[in-house]
Amino acid sequence: MVAPNFHHTPEAPHGTAEGSAAGREPSSCASFQPYHQGQLDVFCAVYAVANALRSVHPLGMGQARRLFNDVLLDLSRDADAFRSVLYNATDHDALVRAVLECARRDVVPLRVERPFAASPALRVTGRVGADASAAGRGGRGPDGAAQPTPRAVWETLVGWLCGGTGRAAVLRFHRYLPFKGDPVISHWTAAGIPLGDTLFLHDSSREANAIHVIERGGFVTAPEHLSDDRLVLVEPRCLYLIDVSV
C-alpha cells in the first residue's frame, strides 16, 4: 500500500499549537514511496528461473519458496560467492545454473540447452560507438570472437518456445539510455509468449526502467551495435532453453 501524500493529509484543527505534532508541517518523509518487496535484493536470476518453470509446470508458492531458500542456503556456504551475488559483483550466471540444478533435483526433471554457451562474455559497461563496418554481423567479445547475430538469437529462442509444450527460456539483457555509457538496468528474465515480432516476458518488475517485451528488431547482441532506436542488449551466452517434458 502506498503511503498517502502529505498534500492530502487533513489540516490540523483550528487553534492547534504551532509547535505541537498535529500543527507541525509534514516532513518530506511523509510523501515517500515504500520499497516494494524484492526491490532491495538482486535475486532476479532466481525469480527468472522460477517464473520460467511456473509457465510450463505447476510450481506452487510453497515449492517455489523452498527452491528459493535452498539455493540461497547452498550459496551461503561459499562466503565469497554469496557476497558477489549480494553486492551484484557478478553476472549471476552461476546462480542461474544452481537454481536449474536444484529444480532438476527437487522440482521436476528437466533438460537445459545453451545454444550460445561458447560465445564470449561481453563488456556491457563503457558503451562504445557504433561500428558501421560491423553492421549486420555479430559483434566481438573481449577475446575477439564473434557474437551471434540478433537474428540468430531471435530465431533460436522463438523456434524453441514454439517447438513444443513444456518449453521455457531464461535470458539476460541490459537496457541503456541514449548517450549513456553504462546500462541503467541489467536483468535476468523469463521469456514468455512470442506473438509476431514481439516477445512477451514473464516478469513482474516494477522499476521505472523495467521492460516487459522485447521486439525482434529492437535489440542487439554486441555493445558496438547499440543505437538510439536499439537500446537493449541481449547476451547470447546467457540464453538458457528449458524443457520439462522429458
Side-chain angles (χ1 to χ4, degrees), residues 34-245:
Y35 295 118
H36 60 77
Q37 192 162 340
Q39 192 173 1
L40 299 181
D41 64 56
V42 288
F43 298 137
C44 59
V46 183
Y47 282 95
V49 176
N51 285 329
L53 292 175
R54 193 180 182 196
S55 70
V56 292
H57 177 77
L59 182 69
M61 180 70 75
Q63 200 172 30
R65 280 188 177 136
R66 285 194 297 273
L67 177 64
F68 188 95
N69 293 340
D70 288 347
V71 168
L72 294 186
L73 283 172
D74 287 344
L75 184 64
S76 68
R77 295 186 176 96
D78 184 334
D80 290 337
F82 195 43
R83 187 177 297 107
S84 293
V85 168
L86 289 178
Y87 287 94
N88 207 21
T90 173
D91 61 9
H92 303 273
D93 188 64
L95 182 57
V96 169
R97 295 196 302 272
V99 182
L100 287 168
E101 184 56 38
C102 187
R104 179 188 286 115
R105 183 186 68 226
D106 299 332
V107 178
V108 61
L110 55 86
R111 175 169 60 98
V112 177
E113 294 187 12
R114 297 184 63 194
F116 306 112
S119 300
L122 293 173
R123 293 192 184 99
V124 298
T125 58
R127 178 179 168 189
V128 296
D131 179 4
S133 66
R137 297 185 287 108
R140 296 185 178 273
D143 63 356
Q147 291 288 347
T149 62
R151 177 178 178 177
V153 171
W154 178 270
E155 291 181 351
T156 298
L157 175 57
V158 172
W160 174 266
L161 294 172
C162 297
T165 59
R167 291 189 170 191
V170 169
L171 59 92
R172 187 182 190 223
F173 69 82
H174 310 271
R175 184 183 183 187
Y176 295 77
L177 294 178
F179 313 113
K180 298 292 185 181
D182 294 342
V184 292
I185 184 172
S186 295
H187 186 58
W188 284 90
T189 189
I193 303 170
L195 184 61
D197 289 337
T198 301
L199 176 67
F200 292 86
L201 306 176
H202 292 305
D203 198 303
S204 59
S205 298
R206 296 172 55 188
E207 285 78 7
N209 292 312
I211 64 174
H212 298 95
V213 298
I214 294 178
E215 300 292 342
R216 177 172 186 155
F219 73 95
V220 300
T221 53
E224 60 266 29
H225 296 160
L226 288 164
S227 61
D228 288 349
D229 60 342
R230 292 192 300 172
L231 292 168
V232 175
L233 170 64
V234 174
E235 284 199 66
R237 74 180 184 90
C238 292
L239 176 61
Y240 286 78
L241 307 179
I242 305 166
D243 185 358
V244 301
S245 64

Side-chain angles (χ1 to χ4, degrees), residues 6-24:
F6 73 83
H7 294 299
H8 300 151
T9 303
E11 294 183 2
H14 183 70
T16 303
E18 184 175 345
S20 69
R24 193 176 302 138

